[in-house]
Amino acid sequence: MDKEDKRRYFIIGSVYLEVVTPLFQQKLEGSYKGLKFRCLKDFLDNKAVLHTLFHLRQRYTRCCTDKANCTNQRALPLNHHQWKKLYVENPGPGIHNCFCKYTAKSVKPEDLDVSLCGLLLYNCCSLGHLDEEAVNILRRNKNDYLSHNTTCGIIKDEYDSLMDELKSKILQLDQTKEDELIRIQNRPLDDSLCNKYMTTLLNIHEVLEKIDTNTTQILSIVHTNNIKLQEFFQHLATQSFKDKTVKLGNNYSHPIKPYILGQSIFTLHQQTDLKSVVIGGDWRGGIAGIVMMDDGRLVMGLPYQNRLLICKTDESQVDIINVLGSPWCVTAVSNSTVAVTLWKRDCIEMFDINNKLKVNSISVPGMRCFGISSIDNKLVVGGECRIFIIDHQTGEVVQTIQTNFSPNRLHGSGERIYYCDIDSYNNNNLYWYSYTNGAHHIISLPSTPRRMTTLQDGSLYLLCRDGSIQHVSSDGKQYKQVNTIAKSPSDVNIHYNLTQRKLVIRQTAGLVKVFNEKFN
């Protein structure tokens, strides 16, 4: 496979993940709302929908009700992983295998990948003939060219006809996507993003399910298919393998090798002066908060411009979202959604960065704007001598944790919430609250901690007031200064993205440094 084959694969993969996926998600949402269903869960719980999907997963089964609509599929297009994504079995032993045993989970369209969205659209939604044909062809081509493509390449003869068909069917569904398709076609190859897209597009869920019983056999399958899949599984270890080992407890060891405190982990990849990508060059006040999304985009709060700035680290794909207020701190909620605190406002605003829309506003009386994070799919913010845990789907404060001071910076990681007090100049303590025992713990550092982020092995990098980075162990008991990244008092933000395996450090003047993680 040559580089151009890989670039062609990258373009087709980008079309599916950046255009087709959100398009299918929007079509799905529009379809069930058009049928007066309040949310996707209500649609999935509809008897006809549930029964249809049940028989796309189960063969040779007669249900206790609606027997006239029971079917027997030769192929089962809904795999086990997808079924578990949508439904949970009701409590109790049950007397037979029937769709009545299941209840839909509280999923949203943006939680579903392109394959599952396409399956729901084609089998459960009322589409016009041309739209139905477009959805079916887009699903078929994804399966034919991406789902089982372990070479990460597409030859020119296949690419030309494939791209023409993709354009035609996408524009059948949405005429406004033409400019976006042209932009993607003209982009250069981004190797790291291409490798990430490959891990997303391959259908490996059924293989992963077998890890519970035969890890050796699965690794053998990986080896015999293609050496690139070994690299893929190493990358995936921080995601699916990590989930598996957490669920399996001590039966399997964690696949991530713990770092030695203070060791050299990152190498400088690039430096970008973000002042050049701000519209009109207006840099008043600079950036307050920054986060890297799983696709590599940076999202930053510009509080003195009342805007969110979105761009790639190479200053491309620049977007702006106007905000009614001054965005201060930012955290990622999903692949396309961020939650933002506002200066001197007791609320959290959530934005869809793909569609540049505000999707939710959550009032939290007594909260402070100086920090926001997440833990266990909940948002975490600080208040007056307390920490609030918020369900961002309902807007409810589900837990309030009392503290001895008002936390400024905070960070959720695993079963812990780390927090610090930067108002007190001489307070060099890092505090953390444990969900395991409900207790607060302290570790003293050489300088006041200002920002923190979790690395892939569970240890932390703390950016301190004196510009040093302290590497804190995953148990929160030890630390060592990192001397392989230059100490700079002008560094004010630090953030690690597990999917990209990149560390981002921002300075006060708008200079952003991006570091690549070495192999672990």
Side-chain angles (χ1 to χ4, degrees):
M1 179 196 69
D2 61 24
K3 191 170 184 179
E4 277 305 302
D5 288 344
K6 187 171 185 178
R7 179 178 174 273
R8 285 186 283 267
Y9 174 94
F10 177 52
I11 290 171
I12 298 298
S14 298
V15 167
Y16 268 92
L17 292 179
E18 298 175 25
V19 180
V20 179
T21 298
L23 179 56
F24 275 11
Q25 291 167 346
Q26 292 161 17
K27 286 285 184 183
L28 176 61
E29 183 173 20
S31 181
Y32 69 71
K33 286 187 174 179
L35 295 171
K36 308 304 181 184
F37 290 101
R38 183 177 56 89
C39 60
L40 180 56
K41 181 184 187 305
D42 290 349
F43 177 68
L44 294 172
D45 272 331
N46 174 263
K47 180 179 177 181
V49 173
L50 173 53
H51 197 186
T52 296
L53 294 175
F54 177 80
H55 286 291
L56 295 181
R57 177 63 209 151
Q58 299 285 343
R59 190 184 285 121
Y60 308 124
T61 301
R62 293 284 289 175
C63 297
C64 64
T65 61
D66 199 25
K67 293 180 180 179
N69 290 314
C70 288
T71 59
N72 186 30
Q73 306 287 335
R74 287 187 299 172
L76 298 178
L78 186 63
N79 66 45
H80 183 58
H81 171 84
Q82 292 171 325
W83 176 259
K84 288 174 64 178
K85 182 81 174 178
L86 299 178
Y87 292 102
V88 61
E89 188 170 348
N90 298 324
I95 58 173
H96 60 287
N97 188 27
C98 175
F99 73 89
C100 66
K101 289 173 55 178
Y102 298 93
T103 301
K105 293 183 177 179
S106 295
V107 292
K108 296 181 178 181
E110 56 265 31
D111 298 327
L112 310 183
D113 63 20
V114 64
S115 298
L116 188 48
C117 269
L119 182 143
L120 292 175
L121 278 172
Y122 187 72
N123 291 281
C124 304
C125 298
S126 298
L127 303 175
H129 173 70
L130 293 178
D131 281 4
E132 183 178 88
E133 180 184 56
V135 168
N136 190 40
I137 290 174
L138 289 170
R139 292 176 64 225
R140 181 199 67 195
N141 287 340
K142 193 268 182 183
N143 185 68
D144 290 346
Y145 293 96
L146 299 173
S147 295
H148 313 286
N149 187 339
T150 61
T151 65
C152 200
I154 295 176
I155 62 175
K156 188 177 188 305
D157 290 342
E158 292 178 338
Y159 172 83
D160 291 337
S161 58
L162 173 60
M163 194 65 199
D164 287 342
E165 189 167 48
L166 291 185
K167 284 182 184 177
S168 171
K169 299 312 173 185
I170 289 169
L171 295 178
Q172 164 62 35
L173 297 173
D174 189 341
Q175 289 287 332
T176 68
K177 298 298 183 183
E178 187 167 11
D179 288 344
E180 197 167 353
L181 291 171
I182 293 172
R183 175 182 59 78
I184 290 175
Q185 270 193 283
N186 293 329
R187 67 169 47 164
L189 173 63
D190 181 333
D191 275 308
S192 62
L193 185 58
C194 183
N195 291 336
K196 176 185 177 294
Y197 280 1
M198 181 184 178
T199 68
T200 304
L201 293 164
L202 278 171
N203 283 350
I204 49 87
H205 302 299
E206 293 178 350
V207 174
L208 289 173
E209 292 296 332
K210 298 175 185 176
I211 291 172
D212 293 4
T213 57
N214 200 339
T215 305
T216 304
Q217 181 183 354
I218 300 307
L219 294 179
S220 175
I221 293 170
V222 170
H223 177 74
T224 56
N225 272 283
N226 194 297
I227 189 68
K228 283 188 173 294
L229 274 183
Q230 291 182 334
E231 300 168 5
F232 158 64
F233 270 80
Q234 289 165 358
H235 175 80
L236 198 65
T238 60
Q239 301 168 51
S240 299
F241 276 25
K242 183 176 180 181
D243 292 341
K244 291 288 180 184
T245 53
V246 169
K247 293 175 183 177
L248 294 170
N250 294 328
N251 293 330
Y252 292 88
S253 61
H254 196 292
I256 304 301
K257 180 182 177 181
Y259 289 122
I260 298 171
L261 295 183
Q263 78 173 90
S264 177
I265 300 173
F266 299 95
T267 56
L268 182 62
H269 172 61
Q270 65 181 138
Q271 294 187 135
T272 303
D273 187 349
L274 290 176
K275 284 187 284 188
S276 61
V277 300
V278 175
I279 304 301
D282 183 0
W283 192 250
R284 292 170 294 148
I287 297 171
I290 186 169
V291 65
M292 176 177 276
M293 307 299 287
D294 285 350
D295 63 4
R297 285 181 293 175
L298 300 174
V299 181
M300 295 151 280
L302 306 181
Y304 295 91
Q305 296 185 39
N306 295 347
R307 292 170 170 172
L308 290 177
L309 172 66
I310 306 161
C311 69
K312 298 293 289 289
T313 57
D314 61 1
E315 305 176 51
S316 65
Q317 300 183 32
V318 179
D319 276 317
I320 291 289
I321 299 178
N322 292 315
V323 180
L324 293 176
S326 301
W328 204 257
C329 291
V330 186
T331 191
V333 177
S334 70
N335 291 337
S336 61
T337 306
V338 295
V340 182
T341 64
L342 304 178
W343 173 253
K344 293 188 175 180
R345 295 264 303 274
D346 291 357
C347 72
I348 300 168
E349 305 230 305
M350 297 176 61
F351 296 89
D352 180 333
I353 62 171
N354 288 340
N355 297 306
K356 296 188 284 187
L357 295 172
K358 183 170 75 173
V359 294
N360 200 5
S361 183
I362 303 170
S363 176
V364 187
M367 67 166 279
R368 308 183 82 194
C369 70
F370 301 113
I372 185 169
S373 187
S374 60
I375 188 169
D376 192 25
N377 203 31
K378 304 290 190 299
L379 295 175
V380 183
V381 294
E384 194 69 32
C385 294
R386 69 195 66 191
I387 295 170
F388 297 111
I389 313 296
I390 302 147
D391 185 332
H392 61 80
Q393 295 181 336
T394 65
E396 178 187 1
V397 177
V398 296
Q399 185 176 356
T400 300
I401 302 165
Q402 299 297 322
T403 58
N404 292 328
F405 60 90
S406 299
N408 282 302
R409 310 293 186 227
L410 40 77
H411 175 68
S413 176
E415 294 297 314
R416 301 175 183 178
I417 299 173
Y418 296 87
Y419 59 100
C420 57
D421 178 18
I422 64 171
D423 287 342
S424 300
Y425 195 89
N426 294 320
N427 187 348
N428 294 350
N429 291 334
L430 172 68
Y431 303 82
W432 52 276
Y433 172 82
S434 170
Y435 271 98
T436 304
N437 56 21
H440 295 264
H441 304 263
I442 302 174
I443 181 173
S444 295
L445 302 167
S447 178
T448 305
R450 298 173 69 180
R451 301 277 186 175
M452 61 208 87
T453 191
T454 304
L455 306 184
Q456 64 162 319
D457 71 334
S459 61
L460 278 79
Y461 264 14
L462 268 72
L463 184 59
C464 296
R465 192 186 296 274
D466 65 359
S468 67
I469 295 175
Q470 303 296 330
H471 190 182
V472 179
S473 60
S474 58
D475 62 5
K477 296 180 179 180
Q478 303 176 68
Y479 69 88
K480 188 171 183 179
Q481 182 165 315
V482 176
N483 294 316
T484 55
I485 298 177
K487 181 177 178 179
S488 174
S490 62
D491 290 344
V492 291
N493 284 106
I494 189 167
H495 175 75
Y496 172 77
N497 182 277
L498 181 62
T499 300
Q500 291 286 323
R501 296 183 69 171
K502 294 182 186 294
L503 181 74
V504 179
I505 298 178
R506 182 188 68 81
Q507 296 186 335
T508 51
L511 181 69
V512 171
K513 297 177 285 188
V514 180
F515 297 81
N516 284 339
E517 186 172 9
K518 298 178 182 179
F519 177 76
N520 181 22

